[in-house]
Amino acid sequence: MIKMSFHFLLATTILAFALSLVYASDPSPLQDFCVALDDPKSAGLNIPRNTSNLVGSTVTPVNVVQIPGLNTLGISLVRIDYAPKGLNPPHTHPRATEILVVLEGTLYVGFVTSNPDNRLFTKTLYPGDVFVFPEGLIHFQFNVGKTKAVAFAGLSSQNPGVITIANAVFGSNPKISADVLTKAFQVDKKVVDYLQAQFWWDNN
């Protein structure tokens, strides 16, 4: 009787573990696809964007906002134009991994791993090179060339989101308390006041 109870308990435990593995994946889409007919918005990525801004880059997104037909498909795309020495500032996508391919120019790119290591991985990319930024990690791209640069990136979400670190920390509305930021960054309050007084450009 004890032996049979042990086998029953073991079988139940294995079954529960197997079911937990099944439910660990993403749920299936709620629908097969969503066709957006007569959508007046243009989502073309063939036109270079103006990069004469404070950071020297402009991101053109193609996600579910621009193309409702991406609803439930779990993908989106961006075009990034960079002026010489243009920067796509450190940012993160909370809901997507990003794969970037360089079309023109030379980009220095990188991402930082999470705590406790905060390890920086970087690479200089040339036309045709590809780099992956894991979901949720802070990453950047910097045009180290003397000419413009262009890159395309695919993201594993229909709505990946973007949080530009400096904008969020020093340009929040309302402002984060200077007491919090002076302690977090271990700097004088004048430094925090200076950074909070800047205009933080949104290149998205």
Side-chain angles (χ1 to χ4, degrees), residues 51-64:
T51 57
S52 59
N53 55 55
L54 294 176
V55 294
S57 73
T58 299
V59 177
T60 306
V62 176
N63 56 42
V64 74

Side-chain angles (χ1 to χ4, degrees), residues 5-6 45 53 100 144:
S5 297
F6 172 76
L45 297 178
N53 55 55
L100 178 134
V144 292

Side-chain angles (χ1 to χ4, degrees), residues 4-88:
M4 194 164 87
S5 297
F6 172 76
H7 287 301
F8 177 76
L9 180 61
L10 180 63
T12 305
T13 304
I14 291 171
L15 181 61
F17 179 72
L19 287 174
S20 70
L21 290 177
V22 171
Y23 289 112
S25 65
D26 288 338
S28 297
L30 297 177
Q31 58 192 36
D32 289 335
F33 55 87
C34 171
V35 178
L37 300 174
D38 301 322
D39 187 357
K41 297 176 189 170
S42 173
L45 297 178
N46 58 321
I47 301 170
R49 296 285 302 275
N50 184 355
T51 57
S52 59
N53 55 55
L54 294 176
V55 294
S57 73
T58 299
V59 177
T60 306
V62 176
N63 56 42
V64 74
V65 175
Q66 288 77 33
I67 302 180
L70 289 176
N71 188 37
T72 77
L73 297 184
I75 57 169
S76 57
L77 187 69
V78 296
R79 172 184 172 134
I80 313 165
D81 290 282
Y82 311 82
K85 304 303 178 190
L87 172 70
N88 190 10

